[in-house]
Amino acid sequence: MKYMFASDIHGSAYYCKKMLDAFEKEGAERLVLLGDLLYHGPRNDLPRDYAPKQVISMLNAMKDRIYAVRGNCEAEVDQMVLDFPVMADYCILSVDGKTFYATHGHVYNQDHLPPLMQGDILIHGHTHVLKAQPMEGYILLNPGSVSIPKEGNPPTYAVLENGEFSIRDFEGNTVKSLKLSE
């Protein structure tokens, strides 16, 4: 199964559309959203084409293909307008014999690890900085930000297929990749 991971849409209709177009082009079966879907938050500037109501409509149309976790900008009211669950702090995915702990990153991250076993994968957003690197005992992944990337990165998402995690920009270029299997 091919998964697409994305984080930090922050209410940008422009980048949400780009993300969903990339999802279709990639031919992924599931879209894993790592939080901060609708609102920009007090520390971020407004993203391009900030239109949370349009983002709601676009995401609800994909509700059967989305797994989502709560970001620090999600609130209970978001669950009232979104047709898929968004209030869980994490989700556990088992893909090709690997365990993925998917979360937003504001609670669990490389400085505050969740309970991981040797070889598990921690994937989160929140920092808006893409990462794909082996750590001591686990693998750390971050698809970057769809709409408000930081540290000079372009807007990105990631795909997981055949044991390889690839972070891509919206032109389809692979920015960074990591083979997850030995």
Side-chain angles (χ1 to χ4, degrees):
M1 179 179 273
K2 186 174 186 178
Y3 289 85
M4 182 169 153
F5 294 86
S7 190
D8 299 285
I9 301 167
H10 288 291
S12 171
Y14 176 83
Y15 284 109
C16 185
K17 180 170 181 357
K18 281 189 157 298
M19 176 191 72
L20 294 176
D21 288 347
F23 178 75
E24 291 303 321
K25 184 178 178 184
E26 291 285 357
E29 295 160 75
R30 291 284 183 177
L31 175 59
V32 182
L33 297 175
L34 300 172
D36 286 0
L37 307 180
L38 301 179
Y39 302 113
H40 67 292
R43 294 181 296 174
N44 295 311
D45 292 331
L46 285 174
R48 181 173 176 175
D49 294 344
Y50 181 70
K53 287 183 180 180
Q54 289 178 31
V55 172
I56 291 165
S57 176
M58 286 186 268
L59 293 178
N60 280 343
M62 301 285 296
K63 68 181 180 182
D64 296 333
R65 299 175 77 187
I66 292 175
Y67 296 145
V69 296
R70 178 183 69 85
N72 58 304
C73 291
E74 259 76 62
E76 287 182 28
V77 70
D78 298 336
Q79 190 60 80
M80 297 166 77
V81 297
L82 291 167
D83 295 336
F84 52 93
V86 294
M87 296 307 290
D89 288 328
Y90 65 91
C91 83
I92 305 293
L93 300 171
S94 179
V95 182
D96 299 329
K98 298 277 187 191
T99 300
F100 286 74
Y101 189 100
T103 190
H104 180 61
H106 64 295
V107 175
Y108 291 110
N109 52 59
Q110 71 189 71
D111 297 323
H112 184 237
L113 293 174
L116 298 173
M117 292 179 63
Q118 181 75 27
D120 284 352
I121 297 163
L122 173 61
I123 182 165
H124 69 79
H126 182 61
T127 63
H128 300 221
V129 178
L130 58 89
K131 286 193 179 196
Q133 63 188 75
M135 305 294 282
E136 189 172 325
Y138 71 100
I139 295 172
L140 177 64
L141 304 175
N142 187 323
S145 174
V146 168
S147 69
I148 309 172
K150 296 187 177 171
E151 295 188 8
N153 290 303
T156 53
Y157 64 92
V159 282
L160 175 64
E161 185 175 36
N162 299 324
E164 187 163 356
F165 185 82
S166 300
I167 302 171
R168 298 188 177 133
D169 65 19
F170 289 114
E171 284 72 51
N173 302 307
T174 298
V175 177
K176 187 168 185 121
S177 67
L178 180 66
K179 194 81 169 150
L180 302 180
S181 54
E182 289 79 44

